[in-house]
Amino acid sequence: MAFKNNILVCTPLECETEEEMVGSMEIAKAEGADLVELCVDSMSFSHISEVKKLIQHRTLPAIVSYRLKSSRTSGKGVSKCLCLQVLRLALEVDVEFVEMDYEVASDIIVMAEHLYGRVNSRIIVSSYVNGGKPSTEKLGHLIACMQSTGADVIKLVIDVDYITDLAPVFEMLTHCQVPLIVIAAGSRGLISQLLGPKFGGFLVYGSLECKSIPGLPTLLSIKHVYKLEHLNADTKVFGLISNPVGHSKGPILHNPAFRHSGYNGIYVPMLVDDIKEFFQTYTGTDFAGFSVGIPHKEAAVGCCDEVHPLAKSIGAVNTIVRRPIDGKLIGYNTDCEASITAIEDALRDRRLLNGEASDTSPIAGKTFVLVGAGGAGRALAFGAKSRGARVVIFNRSYERAKALADAVSGKAFPYECLERFSPEKDMILANASAIGMEPNSDQTPVSKDALRAYGLVFDAVYTPRNTRLLQEAAEIGATVVSGVEMFIRQALGQFRLFTGGLAPEDFMRKLVLEQF
Ligand SMILES: NC(=O)c1ccc[n+]([C@@H]2O[C@H](COP(=O)([O-])OP(=O)(O)OC[C@H]3O[C@@H](n4cnc5c(N)ncnc54)[C@H](OP(=O)(O)O)[C@@H]3O)[C@@H](O)[C@H]2O)c1
């Protein structure tokens, strides 16, 4: 069977029965896999002829594997004899790839060459690497030993504790003389698959939509979001540094936007535990730019070589770009302008409707009530202050509210007073706390009744799009501004910083509104 793509996407199938294997193979085919790995050790079969039937009736090219030592085989009483029987059968029927453990590889390859002369299947020799941080020396030595078995392809399955453990893996993929497959298990290993094709990996593993596997992208995300077939050695890497990172909508926005603009880049989720260590490890110009999310925005300031004055005064960086000429890391904050201009534009539209016009910011002179004093809260507080508003801050932790209020010459009040705070009419309310965010979408920071003191209500929360706060504010007739608008604007700002070019605004807006 022939392959249609230069980058192969493979789905591992672990099923008990032949029927389940065949059914899953059909799903894998429909979701875009180029080949499947039939993990025969996961099957319960009474006679080896069932395996033969499965291989002969495969609807996609396949890797036939039989692992002696794996979580699947432990306790199953797997015998080396059965393993050899399965692998020998796979070689006999000329399946595209036969995968075997390094421990048994030499025996099988010698036996197969003796029995069949030339082997038509390509042999993948695999090894599980665990126990301690992988190093280039350790991996290089292991690969050399595995290669000496006569393997056509080497496969390493690696346990990683941190995303930084993947740096030697990328180095191996770049320099290895023999085709190499690496799977780094767990969610910190995800970029080993997504960036594999850039660094020269032989194939990429993807999971079925209905059976996600930690550390593997889904086949559908490979096909529709990342489109890994476009990657090459020159592709620039961008990503969201965050923990957790799974909720991020960045990949479904930035990847299509890069392609739409003809920019050779990929944007991936990066589950980072220690941001300082991350930047000490990934120093190459290939890693060109980053969005920074929870909880790293404040620590990111200290990781940059230069910080834009606005981001410095806010004390939070949400965008980092590696300057191509000298590799220095430059930090920015696109949250601030994104949220403040969204609020200003809505107020200007309201002014126009009322037949008023003015060059000054419509926020100037207003009371700006801010809920939250985290990264987003800081951006809004400094933005409102820069436009001449009186900033009043409420936060669950009063100390944090007070510190921020002092930094913007504003006022802080205890959180319990928010509900009754009503010194004037037509104030601006901005929620920059996590209240109302999924899965707690039934919550709201201010009751509907208390909202009557506000002329405009902004919610930084964008999951869900129409929060309870915004729904109730609209019901009492306030102007509402959604966190989705802030999200779009900060992403447009990031795109410009990442690529140095204009962001395809209409395209990105349409994407967000369709997909969020
Ligand atoms: N639309 C956008 O583009 C955009 C951009 C950035 C952020 N956001 C959203 O803004 C929100 C805050 O993000 P962030 O980056 O500022 O996070 P952060 O730095 O972790 O700050 C979280 C804020 O929420 C408060 N908070 C959390 N749980 C709370 C609860 N149960 N009750 C009361 N207050 C609570 C925290 O109060 P304490 O200080 O007392 O912990 C803090 O003020 C999130 O929902 C995020 O998704 C949206």
Side-chain angles (χ1 to χ4, degrees):
M1 286 188 207
F3 296 110
K4 52 186 189 315
N5 290 327
N6 51 348
I7 285 165
L8 301 179
V9 178
C10 177
T11 300
L13 300 182
E14 296 180 10
C15 307
E16 283 261 329
T17 65
E18 186 204 333
E19 291 72 33
E20 282 176 58
M21 279 286 190
V22 172
S24 298
M25 204 175 327
E26 283 308 307
I27 301 174
K29 196 174 179 183
E31 292 184 0
D34 299 302
L35 75 162
V36 286
E37 179 182 337
L38 302 171
C39 305
V40 178
D41 50 277
S42 66
M43 293 176 74
S44 300
F45 52 90
S46 45
H47 195 268
I48 189 129
S49 59
E50 292 169 44
V51 179
K52 187 170 185 178
K53 207 169 117 209
L54 168 68
I55 300 173
Q56 284 175 332
H57 292 152
R58 69 191 184 279
T59 50
L60 274 176
I63 300 171
V64 170
S65 69
Y66 196 103
R67 209 140 296 133
L68 278 172
K69 282 181 264 163
S70 78
S71 53
R72 300 193 296 268
T73 51
S74 67
K76 259 182 151 184
V78 168
S79 75
K80 189 171 171 184
C81 176
L82 183 58
C83 165
L84 295 180
Q85 251 186 307
V86 169
L87 298 178
R88 192 172 149 175
L89 167 82
L91 290 166
E92 258 171 31
V93 296
D94 285 344
V95 73
E96 288 75 13
F97 297 92
V98 178
E99 180 179 329
M100 56 198 70
D101 288 335
Y102 173 42
E103 288 78 7
V104 294
S106 298
D107 291 354
I108 297 177
I109 295 171
V110 169
M111 175 272 294
E113 279 169 359
H114 174 71
L115 282 179
Y116 317 116
R118 215 185 110 257
V119 174
N120 290 325
S121 305
R122 295 180 77 186
I123 307 278
I124 302 176
V125 173
S126 68
S127 185
Y128 178 51
V129 185
N130 68 347
K133 226 174 162 62
S135 67
T136 37
E137 293 73 27
K138 184 173 156 187
L139 297 179
H141 177 69
L142 178 60
I143 289 170
C145 294
M146 292 168 78
Q147 205 176 346
S148 69
T149 59
D152 298 304
V153 181
I154 304 287
K155 174 170 158 182
L156 300 177
V157 181
I158 303 186
D159 264 348
V160 290
D161 295 322
Y162 302 104
I163 196 167
T164 44
D165 293 347
L166 293 171
V169 167
F170 295 135
E171 209 171 313
M172 281 298 122
L173 285 171
T174 308
H175 298 295
C176 191
Q177 299 299 315
V178 67
L180 179 62
I181 303 169
V182 179
I183 297 192
S187 39
R188 285 164 178 78
L190 178 66
I191 64 168
S192 69
Q193 299 311 296
L194 295 177
L195 303 184
K198 168 184 166 60
F199 293 107
F202 179 67
L203 64 77
V204 171
Y205 277 91
S207 69
L208 300 177
E209 201 64 16
C210 61
K211 228 182 202 175
S212 68
I213 302 173
L216 297 193
T218 63
L219 287 170
L220 291 182
S221 73
I222 292 174
K223 188 173 169 183
H224 299 296
V225 177
Y226 298 105
K227 295 192 187 273
L228 298 181
E229 67 274 17
H230 295 295
L231 260 62
N232 56 38
D234 297 329
T235 304
K236 293 288 179 204
V237 177
F238 299 87
L240 169 63
I241 293 175
S242 187
N243 186 0
V245 77
H247 64 287
S248 169
K249 308 271 191 195
I252 59 175
L253 180 60
H254 283 294
N255 286 303
F258 285 152
R259 288 192 291 272
H260 183 84
S261 309
Y263 184 83
N264 187 5
I266 181 168
Y267 185 98
V268 295
M270 294 170 165
L271 181 46
V272 171
D273 298 275
D274 181 337
I275 186 171
K276 199 167 162 204
E277 193 196 354
F278 177 87
F279 282 114
Q280 281 165 352
T281 305
Y282 293 105
T283 52
T285 49
D286 277 338
F287 289 84
F290 310 88
S291 309
V292 185
I294 293 173
H296 298 306
K297 286 184 185 179
E298 289 167 39
V301 177
C303 297
C304 295
D305 298 298
E306 289 172 26
V307 178
H308 188 271
L310 178 66
K312 199 180 250 174
S313 57
I314 295 169
V317 155
N318 80 328
T319 310
I320 299 179
V321 175
R322 195 184 298 280
R323 196 161 52 198
I325 41 162
D326 55 10
K328 291 209 158 141
L329 296 172
I330 319 295
Y332 301 89
N333 190 308
T334 62
D335 284 341
C336 178
E337 280 304 295
S339 51
I340 291 299
T341 59
I343 293 170
E344 283 180 322
D345 286 352
L347 287 173
R348 283 201 183 97
D349 287 349
R350 199 179 71 175
R351 266 186 182 174
L352 279 178
L353 275 179
N354 295 340
E356 304 161 26
S358 162
D359 287 341
T360 58
S361 166
I363 295 176
K366 284 197 169 292
T367 298
F368 192 98
V369 177
L370 176 63
V371 186
R378 293 188 68 83
L380 274 144
F382 278 88
K385 188 209 168 194
S386 74
R387 303 306 207 265
R390 286 186 299 280
V391 183
V392 178
I393 303 171
F394 295 86
N395 189 53
R396 183 176 59 178
S397 137
Y398 176 73
E399 298 310 313
R400 226 175 162 191
K402 179 81 176 73
L404 181 55
D406 289 348
V408 296
S409 315
K411 283 193 176 143
F413 292 106
Y415 194 56
E416 303 69 54
C417 302
L418 172 62
E419 194 61 19
R420 279 172 284 113
F421 187 75
S422 181
E424 61 194 76
K425 290 215 168 309
D426 204 25
M427 298 186 295
I428 296 170
L429 175 70
N431 177 38
S433 79
I435 302 170
M437 188 164 93
E438 278 168 359
N440 302 314
S441 45
D442 57 330
Q443 294 176 3
T444 183
V446 182
S447 74
K448 187 173 174 182
D449 217 32
L451 284 176
R452 295 185 198 283
Y454 301 96
L456 181 140
V457 176
F458 165 78
D459 200 344
V461 174
Y462 63 94
T463 49
R465 216 161 111 177
N466 197 10
T467 58
R468 180 173 160 198
L469 173 66
L470 292 185
Q471 285 171 36
E472 293 182 346
E475 280 163 19
I476 55 116
T479 301
V480 294
V481 180
S482 156
V484 173
E485 187 56 35
M486 173 182 175
F487 180 82
I488 294 173
R489 290 179 188 225
Q490 63 79 28
L492 291 170
Q494 287 192 330
F495 187 96
R496 285 190 285 270
L497 291 167
F498 287 162
T499 64
L502 268 183
E505 182 165 348
D506 292 346
F507 177 78
M508 287 172 80
R509 269 185 187 283
K510 190 162 168 276
L511 257 181
V512 171
L513 297 176
E514 272 169 12
Q515 305 217 15
F516 282 39

